[in-house]
Amino acid sequence: MAIRYIPYYPDTIEGQAILDNFARTRRTLKYRDNDKVIERVKRGAPLYEMEKIETVGDNKDGNMVIRGECLSACAYLKDRGIKVDLVYIDPPFASGADYAKKIYVRRNPQLAEAIAKAEEELPNDELQNFEEKMYGDIWDKERYLNWMYENLFAIKSVMSETASIYVHLDWHIGHYVKILMDEIFGEDNFRNEIIWHYSTLGRPDDRFALKHDTIFLYGKTDETFFNKEGATMQYSEEYIKSHFRDVDKNGNVCRKRFDAGKWRIYYPDDGMIPNDVWNIPYENSMSKERVDYATQKPEALLERIIKASSNENMIVADFFGGSGVTAAVAAKLGRKFIHCDIGINSVQTARDRLIANNAAFDMLEIKDGVSFYRNPVQTMEKLKTLITGLRNEDSLDKFWEGAIDGSKEGTIPVYIPNLLDSGAKLLDLALMNRIIREAMPDLPDDTKKVVVYYIDAIDLKEINDFIKEYNDTLIEIELRDLKELLDEVVAEDYAEYTIGEIKNDLFSGWRVKINKFISDRVNRKIDEYNEKLFNSPNRILIGESGLETIEFLSLDCSSDSGVWHSDEEIKIDKFGYAIKNGVKTKDFWDGAICSEKKPLRLKIRNICGDENVYKLCD
Ligand SMILES: C[S@@+](CC[C@H](N)C(=O)[O-])C[C@H]1O[C@@H](n2cnc3c(N)ncnc32)[C@H](O)[C@@H]1O
């Protein structure tokens, strides 16, 4: 349940295009339901409990990696009076795609060397792997725009007066969002439409190849901070050769140009602020920068943005942080950072990336009831399996998730809020009204009961009173709390380990050896994958010990409870090599983790991203 609602930035800019214009241009934009978002914007962003999960290094700068929704992260920042100086967001594009992550089964440490030899010739894709959904980008335009509108409002309310916002989109939805941005930030605060041009493979022969994304840059006010020096780029040698053909009175190479009414002299070392078309290559799968995140953007792109629109020590925020590229570049450039993302895979990837950059930060989790499972897409899928007897029912409108058979009540339609859409999460009077007035009248005549799941409700009593007063159908409405269902999802992974003290010439300390690791959640995924392959040789095989399903281990030698402090950690990359405390090695993981100090807790992350903590007893 939200603690309270935090008001957004007061109002849209007077005299600018307002959302209602869309309704008037129904013919082209068909933007229905835009009035629904107004209610939500009036209510504000939901503020939830925030839990600190881990602290990395001496986080004097207050850097944050937040797991949760953009809206609630903004509510948290606003509640604490934290303002950010630069925002870059690369939200879902409404691309119609589902993004998946390849999960690589690691090598069995006992057999690692032998397997490596056998696999030497295989391309990466042939390492044992299966896929897991990360996030879905399938929206209808209206829902997307409403969602985006609310997010932009939330973000605006945490921007400092001189802050800039870069919104990275493409042809799918970019032009519509530009209109929302005009409304929210004001046409006068528009700064640039940046074209990020890249060359990737694939050229259709029936039209021009789509090879650019669009980044809209707005200021919060007309006093936007712009770092002229940071934005300036050096000329390439080629450019100098072709453009600098004059000499000054001292014989230095220069370029003389008649600019803005007078002659000016430019020198090769001066560099210049680039124009709005940026040619920056996409990092391919072999690049060192790649962290296996489907929509990962290049560091060079973020470097240009961060250098141009911030100074050292300013706060740079990315509320759809993905692979952590913004936070990683901000940290490298001496900026403070806030990374937020709804998916567990994102916050883990960002965390591990930042550790490799020696950054200090806190890992925070918003307790909003949505992020129970690894991400909302997987939570939605899981939910459907948890509702006993739920099946698709073709005769029902798509508003209903499906139906269950109740012996006395016949077929019971079930409504589940779409966790991908923050607007649908909250059961309020408007939604109840819609259920009663729009969804229930279309149900088959013999329907006796419906079940409405909710994740959050402002006031259940008020909703029940509303049902009593306005439900004039004969259909009973049962409200059920989704969180209770989700509580059943979390099953612990099982680990067997031995701890020993070691003293020899090379090392003095402790060694925790993992003997067995069983993750039902991972094993179930592998079983599902194998089932589809029948007897194919590509079936995934896991050894007795199950150590191939471990991705990461960490030891906390400082405290046996509360916030995690990683004193030693090992990440096992997809080839089986150990990354120790962020430093890549060419050693295969040997099935153990060592620390100089006595370890008090062990954390193990499985290859799908679930983490478990084990208290280490003597
Ligand atoms: C296009 S990706 C960002 C990629 C990122 N710029 C990078 O370079 O790695 C969009 C991200 O938004 C996240 N996301 C989707 N809905 C969200 C929400 N409501 N709040 C926060 N993050 C969200 C997804 O999990 C995904 O990681």
Side-chain angles (χ1 to χ4, degrees):
M1 185 82 79
I3 304 171
R4 62 179 181 279
Y5 286 81
I6 306 289
Y8 288 116
Y9 199 76
D11 271 315
T12 50
I13 308 285
E14 231 174 278
Q16 308 280 334
I18 55 160
L19 209 59
D20 276 354
N21 282 354
F22 291 129
R24 272 182 245 135
T25 54
R26 207 172 270 271
R27 191 171 51 89
T28 45
L29 274 151
K30 292 201 177 62
Y31 188 25
R32 291 172 283 112
D33 286 355
N34 53 350
D35 50 329
K36 301 228 163 87
V37 72
I38 299 295
E39 283 308 307
R40 295 212 300 271
V41 169
K42 274 192 205 146
R43 185 161 52 217
L47 175 72
Y48 294 94
E49 297 275 344
M50 181 73 100
E51 189 182 328
K52 194 198 276 192
I53 306 292
E54 180 178 358
T55 180
V56 178
D58 182 10
N59 185 19
K60 284 196 279 287
D61 289 341
N63 296 325
M64 300 177 208
V65 173
I66 302 175
R67 179 166 182 216
E69 278 194 287
C70 164
L71 282 187
S72 331
C74 291
Y76 172 77
L77 298 181
K78 188 154 187 218
D79 191 49
R80 307 200 120 205
I82 299 171
K83 294 267 179 191
V84 305
D85 302 296
L86 164 62
V87 178
Y88 164 83
I89 55 166
D90 169 22
F93 284 18
S95 64
D98 261 338
Y99 288 97
K101 173 183 158 63
K102 269 201 177 146
I103 309 279
Y104 290 93
V105 176
R106 307 309 203 253
R107 294 195 172 102
N108 180 333
Q110 286 120 20
L111 305 173
E113 304 268 1
I115 302 176
K117 261 209 161 93
E119 277 175 354
E120 232 159 42
E121 318 268 278
L122 295 181
N124 293 353
D125 273 5
E126 294 188 26
L127 295 176
Q128 294 202 88
N129 70 72
F130 58 96
E131 281 195 344
E132 269 215 319
K133 278 201 191 143
M134 286 204 309
Y135 72 93
D137 197 1
I138 301 166
W139 303 74
D140 55 51
K141 276 204 179 68
E142 291 87 352
R143 263 191 357 145
Y144 182 91
L145 291 174
N146 273 345
W147 173 81
M148 198 56 191
Y149 187 75
E150 204 177 353
N151 277 294
L152 289 172
F153 251 114
I155 292 172
K156 183 177 178 186
S157 54
V158 295
M159 284 167 64
S160 71
E161 293 307 291
T162 55
S164 328
I165 177 167
Y166 290 72
V167 177
H168 186 146
L169 294 160
D170 72 3
W171 59 271
H172 288 93
I173 201 83
H175 307 83
Y176 299 80
V177 175
K178 163 82 171 62
I179 301 173
L180 294 189
M181 294 190 76
D182 279 346
E183 181 186 336
I184 294 170
F185 294 96
E187 285 176 44
D188 300 341
N189 292 325
F190 166 83
R191 294 278 174 279
N192 278 116
E193 175 181 353
I194 296 160
I195 301 300
W196 171 36
H197 171 246
Y198 42 80
S199 305
T200 44
L201 291 175
R203 306 223 158 242
D205 52 17
D206 59 347
R207 61 170 165 170
F208 304 111
L210 304 169
K211 297 293 173 197
H212 80 270
D213 289 0
T214 309
I215 303 173
F216 296 117
L217 165 58
Y218 280 71
K220 167 143 173 212
T221 61
D222 57 3
E223 284 172 19
T224 313
F225 178 81
F226 191 71
N227 185 339
K228 213 171 140 191
E229 203 182 314
T232 300
M233 293 183 62
Q234 291 310 306
Y235 298 109
S236 67
E237 277 183 27
E238 210 181 311
Y239 188 91
I240 294 173
K241 259 191 216 147
S242 59
H243 289 76
F244 288 80
R245 294 191 169 153
D246 304 316
V247 273
D248 68 7
K249 58 178 190 278
N250 300 322
N252 297 317
V253 174
C254 69
R255 186 176 187 210
K256 294 180 182 163
R257 292 200 58 184
F258 195 73
D259 256 356
K262 61 175 179 179
W263 280 98
R264 290 168 197 263
I265 301 184
Y266 298 95
Y267 294 96
D269 284 349
D270 293 344
M272 68 170 178
I273 297 175
N275 62 30
D276 55 4
V277 179
W278 298 358
N279 287 302
I280 296 177
Y282 232 117
E283 296 299 324
N284 66 30
S285 59
M286 301 309 285
S287 149
K288 281 210 178 112
E289 221 180 282
R290 291 291 305 182
V291 287
D292 276 337
Y293 203 89
T295 49
Q296 181 182 346
K297 303 298 179 297
E299 291 196 2
L301 179 72
L302 270 300
E303 195 177 308
R304 207 177 273 195
I305 290 173
I306 294 173
K307 278 184 172 169
S309 290
S310 69
N311 254 340
E312 278 190 16
N313 290 321
M314 284 186 168
I315 304 181
V316 178
D318 186 340
F319 295 100
F320 297 85
S323 67
V325 61
T326 310
V329 177
K332 279 187 201 162
L333 296 174
R335 273 61 168 174
K336 297 174 184 163
F337 59 84
I338 296 171
H339 166 104
C340 161
D341 199 285
I342 205 161
I344 191 148
N345 180 242
S346 157
V347 292
Q348 286 170 349
T349 309
R351 175 202 177 278
D352 299 347
R353 199 168 177 177
L354 288 162
I355 294 254
N357 286 345
N358 282 324
F361 55 95
D362 286 340
M363 297 280 293
L364 303 164
E365 196 163 293
I366 297 173
K367 297 296 182 193
D368 62 358
V370 171
S371 328
F372 282 93
Y373 215 47
R374 292 171 202 138
N375 55 46
V377 186
Q378 286 188 36
T379 310
M380 282 305 281
E381 276 183 5
K382 191 79 210 169
L383 275 174
K384 292 181 207 163
T385 66
L386 289 174
I387 301 175
T388 322
L390 181 72
R391 54 182 165 70
N392 280 338
E393 186 62 63
D394 291 341
S395 61
L396 296 179
D397 183 77
K398 72 172 184 190
F399 180 85
W400 305 96
E401 198 62 48
I404 39 183
D405 273 328
S407 48
K408 275 188 270 145
E409 295 103 340
T411 301
I412 306 174
V414 176
Y415 167 81
I416 305 181
N418 182 356
L419 300 183
L420 298 170
D421 177 359
S422 42
K425 243 172 55 190
L426 185 75
L427 177 62
D428 56 7
L429 294 185
L431 177 60
M432 206 60 226
N433 190 37
R434 196 167 153 218
I435 292 174
I436 294 174
R437 304 248 179 271
E438 293 173 28
M440 286 180 28
D442 288 340
L443 290 172
D445 291 343
D446 56 352
T447 310
K448 297 196 179 64
K449 177 174 172 178
V450 296
V451 169
V452 173
Y453 277 99
Y454 64 90
I455 194 117
D456 203 355
I458 293 191
D459 184 346
L460 270 182
K461 184 179 172 309
E462 188 188 33
I463 304 244
N464 279 315
D465 291 347
F466 182 85
I467 294 174
K468 263 192 215 130
E469 192 170 345
Y470 294 101
N471 180 17
D472 41 22
T473 68
L474 294 174
I475 305 172
E476 182 197 343
I477 302 174
E478 184 187 329
L479 303 181
R480 287 192 195 164
D481 188 345
L482 203 56
K483 293 193 287 301
E484 284 170 18
L485 205 62
L486 281 165
D487 280 346
E488 293 170 27
V489 176
V490 185
E492 304 271 294
D493 291 343
Y494 169 79
E496 258 177 40
Y497 44 84
T498 40
I499 314 171
E501 204 173 349
I502 302 178
K503 269 200 177 92
N504 59 35
D505 294 346
L506 295 174
F507 179 73
S508 163
W510 300 79
R511 183 169 191 262
V512 182
K513 184 169 178 326
I514 318 298
N515 303 317
K516 197 169 188 140
F517 181 74
I518 302 174
S519 168
D520 272 348
R521 289 171 283 190
V522 174
N523 292 350
R524 242 180 284 143
K525 278 269 162 193
I526 294 178
D527 289 346
E528 277 166 30
Y529 173 83
N530 283 344
E531 256 168 45
K532 287 188 211 134
L533 294 179
F534 301 107
N535 287 326
S536 148
N538 293 338
R539 285 163 63 93
I540 293 177
L541 298 174
I542 302 288
E544 272 281 291
S545 67
L547 302 197
E548 304 94 319
T549 56
I550 296 180
E551 172 181 281
F552 167 91
L553 307 99
S554 162
L555 291 177
D556 187 339
C557 308
S558 315
S559 166
D560 67 359
S561 61
V563 176
W564 188 263
H565 180 273
S566 174
D567 288 285
E568 284 299 329
E569 63 184 63
I570 295 181
K571 184 170 181 178
I572 302 127
D573 77 7
K574 64 185 177 196
F575 303 105
Y577 294 116
I579 303 171
K580 294 181 181 162
N581 300 318
V583 180
K584 289 187 182 172
T585 72
K586 276 289 165 200
D587 304 332
F588 286 114
W589 179 50
D590 62 357
I593 177 164
C594 298
S595 60
E596 282 175 11
K597 285 195 272 171
K598 187 175 178 191
L600 303 173
R601 288 186 289 174
L602 162 71
K603 185 189 271 185
I604 303 184
R605 183 195 301 162
N606 68 37
I607 50 175
C608 291
D610 312 304
E611 292 186 345
N612 279 113
V613 172
Y614 308 86
K615 266 198 182 186
L616 302 175
C617 311
D618 293 314

